[in-house]
């Protein structure tokens, strides 16, 4: 069997391999973890994904373990704390987007029961329509961020090559996720 070429080359970083084998493309059922993945994808904009993988635990600590309700209630002092935290990406637009998006997810949870339910109700959409939907609701969610968030959580195909064993593992978990 062959793995996706981009990550299983001899010079691929171990964090890339771990992410590929255990996280990328796998469905996420927890709203907090979905929010965390969106937050990480937003912070990756303009940067290398390896940078984000190296800082993932720092992001988790800095953003209250990705607890949506806590992040939604962040105040100015929390923003300042985040902007001073060298362990994460210190970008005011991205920090503000995280807080704003957490509040949006709280509203979606009220209306749909969960962020996951909201995503499920719109699945399957093509990327163009997902981007329109995300731009209508969220901040800092352009085409590439939406694409990576949706691929990384299984809502869009393309995370793995079809002959990759991880693809086959994901397909066994939930084949419907791979049909978008």
């Amino acid at each position: 069997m062959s793995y996706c070429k981009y990550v299983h080359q001899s010079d691929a970083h171990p964090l890339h391999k771990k992410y590929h084998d255990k996280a990328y493309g796998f469905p996420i059922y927890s709203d907090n973890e979905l929010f965390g993945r969106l937050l990480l994808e937003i912070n990756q904009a303009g940067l290398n994904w390896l940078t984000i993988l190296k800082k993932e635990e720092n992001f988790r600590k800095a953003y209250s373990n990705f607890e949506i309700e806590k992040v939604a209630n962040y105040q100015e002092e929390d923003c300042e704390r985040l902007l001073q935290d060298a362990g994460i990406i210190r970008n005011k637009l991205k920090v503000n987007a995280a807080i704003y998006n957490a509040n949006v997810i709280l509203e979606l949870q009220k209306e749909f029961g969960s962020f996951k339910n909201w995503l499920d109700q719109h699945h399957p959409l093509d990327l163009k329509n997902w981007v329109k939907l995300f731009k209508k609701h969220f901040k800092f969610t352009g085409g590439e961020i939406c694409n990576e968030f949706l691929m990384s959580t299984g809502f869009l195909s393309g995370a793995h090559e079809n002959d990759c064993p991880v693809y086959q593992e994901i397909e066994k978990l939930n084949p419907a996720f791979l049909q978008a």
Side-chain angles (χ1 to χ4, degrees), residues 117-134:
N117 287 346
W118 180 79
L119 290 163
D120 286 341
Q121 286 196 12
H122 292 91
H123 180 68
L125 288 176
D126 62 11
L127 178 59
K128 180 181 173 185
N129 286 308
W130 275 117
V131 171
K132 282 183 189 177
L133 184 65
F134 268 70

Side-chain angles (χ1 to χ4, degrees), residues 3-26 37 41 44 47-56 148 152 159-160 164 166:
Y3 284 85
C4 299
K5 293 175 191 80
Y6 73 95
V7 75
H8 282 281
Q9 299 170 0
S10 61
D11 63 342
H13 194 282
L15 286 174
H16 273 302
K17 290 180 180 183
K18 180 181 174 188
Y19 180 71
H20 170 273
D21 293 351
K22 303 293 181 192
Y24 194 50
F26 284 83
R37 184 67 59 83
E41 292 294 351
Q44 186 272 329
L47 301 170
N48 182 302
W49 184 242
L50 182 58
T51 300
I52 301 304
L53 290 176
K54 288 178 178 178
K55 294 177 177 276
E56 182 177 1
E148 281 302 320
S152 76
H160 299 277
C164 176
V166 177

Side-chain angles (χ1 to χ4, degrees), residues 11-142:
D11 63 342
H13 194 282
L15 286 174
H16 273 302
K17 290 180 180 183
K18 180 181 174 188
Y19 180 71
H20 170 273
D21 293 351
K22 303 293 181 192
Y24 194 50
F26 284 83
I28 297 175
Y29 301 99
S30 159
D31 277 6
N32 288 339
E33 290 302 314
L34 283 165
F35 168 66
R37 184 67 59 83
L38 181 61
L39 187 148
L40 294 174
E41 292 294 351
I42 287 169
N43 276 278
Q44 186 272 329
L47 301 170
N48 182 302
W49 184 242
L50 182 58
T51 300
I52 301 304
L53 290 176
K54 288 178 178 178
K55 294 177 177 276
E56 182 177 1
E57 285 308 310
N58 296 334
F59 274 105
R60 187 174 293 280
K61 289 174 190 166
Y63 284 94
S64 303
N65 203 33
F66 301 141
E67 290 183 40
I68 298 162
E69 194 166 339
K70 286 184 180 179
V71 176
N73 288 305
Y74 278 5
Q75 301 297 314
E76 188 60 36
E77 61 268 13
D78 296 296
C79 292
E80 289 304 316
R81 171 184 57 81
L82 292 167
L83 292 172
Q84 298 303 316
D85 189 338
I88 64 170
I89 306 304
R90 296 175 290 181
N91 178 302
K92 190 168 186 161
L93 292 174
K94 293 176 181 183
V95 168
N96 289 340
I99 297 165
Y100 178 88
N101 292 342
N103 279 284
V104 169
I105 292 172
L106 287 180
E107 291 303 313
L108 294 174
Q109 287 174 327
K110 286 178 192 171
E111 186 175 347
F112 294 90
S114 72
F115 182 34
K116 171 90 168 66
N117 287 346
W118 180 79
L119 290 163
D120 286 341
Q121 286 196 12
H122 292 91
H123 180 68
L125 288 176
D126 62 11
L127 178 59
K128 180 181 173 185
N129 286 308
W130 275 117
V131 171
K132 282 183 189 177
L133 184 65
F134 268 70
K135 283 185 172 231
K136 179 180 172 186
H137 294 283
F138 297 102
K139 286 190 177 180
F140 219 107
T141 53

